[in-house]
Amino acid sequence: ATGGDEIDNNQGCCISVSSFTKIFAPGVRLGWVEAPPFIIQRLSNYGYIDSQGGNAPFMGTIMANAIEMGLLDSYLDKLRIEYKERYGLVCEILQQEPRLSILSIDEPRGGGYFIWIRFPPTVNADEFLTYSIENYGVRFMAGTKTNPFPNDEDDIGTAIKSCARICFADLNREDLR
């Protein structure tokens, strides 16, 4: 607050940039920004956003109609069911390997794209990624790539070296097995 009961309109700094690409169709190159009002206001003042009805007016109209008609909601409902089933399948497969820990196993799931796993503490996920690609063509995101403070040698930085985020969203059930 700036004084009295006034509210500081410049509070908050979190910005979320999202896209319809993953939740509707890969070819939909359209998204949105969630942020505090003062950031949205500054973004909306840029000419390329304001000109010609936005930077993707045709696709914007299509998506607006899809949202208004409920098509996006019904499609998301189907995706949630499918991803929940894939999540369960991948967890079943991973649980067969006693050296792995599934970090998100106890969380209630309604969908999503990723599973976090932990290798034994002696395994470096970056090195194992190279091995996995070269020998099996299997890719994942090593935990170190998600660490916002990679130069800190704290407990989190040390622990995350043996973690990985795997994506199951772009594979069909047969490929997951």
Side-chain angles (χ1 to χ4, degrees):
T2 56
D5 291 329
E6 295 176 25
I7 295 174
D8 184 355
N9 290 331
N10 291 330
Q11 281 189 323
C13 62
C14 289
I15 300 173
S16 172
V17 180
S18 301
S19 168
F20 291 106
T21 299
K22 287 186 180 176
I23 65 169
F24 197 72
V28 178
R29 300 292 186 213
L30 183 72
W32 66 94
V33 174
E34 297 172 88
F38 78 97
I39 292 175
I40 296 295
Q41 182 60 46
R42 290 188 69 185
L43 290 173
S44 66
N45 289 334
Y46 284 104
Y48 71 90
I49 291 177
D50 194 33
S51 68
Q52 301 174 2
N55 57 2
F58 180 69
M59 189 53 67
T61 301
I62 291 173
M63 286 310 304
N65 285 316
I67 292 167
E68 289 169 8
M69 294 169 52
L71 296 175
L72 180 61
D73 286 337
S74 64
Y75 184 69
L76 285 174
D77 290 342
K78 291 176 187 172
L79 279 182
R80 283 186 195 101
I81 292 167
E82 178 63 28
Y83 289 155
K84 183 176 183 176
E85 290 174 6
R86 288 186 202 182
Y87 174 82
L89 175 63
V90 173
C91 284
E92 285 177 26
I93 294 167
L94 292 172
Q95 286 174 323
Q96 295 172 17
E97 174 50 65
R99 294 171 290 184
L100 296 179
S101 299
I102 303 171
L103 301 177
S104 55
I105 193 76
D106 294 326
E107 296 176 13
R109 299 290 293 214
Y113 306 121
F114 308 108
I115 298 175
W116 275 93
I117 60 173
R118 180 174 39 231
F119 302 112
T122 56
V123 174
N124 180 303
D126 290 302
E127 293 171 4
F128 189 60
L129 173 60
T130 301
Y131 172 83
S132 297
I133 292 169
E134 291 174 357
N135 293 283
Y136 300 100
V138 174
R139 298 177 184 278
F140 56 84
M141 181 177 289
T144 55
K145 300 290 186 210
T146 66
N147 187 353
F149 308 106
N151 297 325
D152 291 355
E153 286 298 323
D154 58 7
D155 291 341
I156 293 173
T158 301
I160 206 163
K161 289 179 182 174
S162 63
C163 294
R165 186 185 80 174
I166 59 174
C167 178
F168 56 86
D170 59 346
L171 300 171
N172 63 44
R173 293 175 201 207
E174 291 74 38
D175 291 339
L176 291 172
R177 295 182 194 276

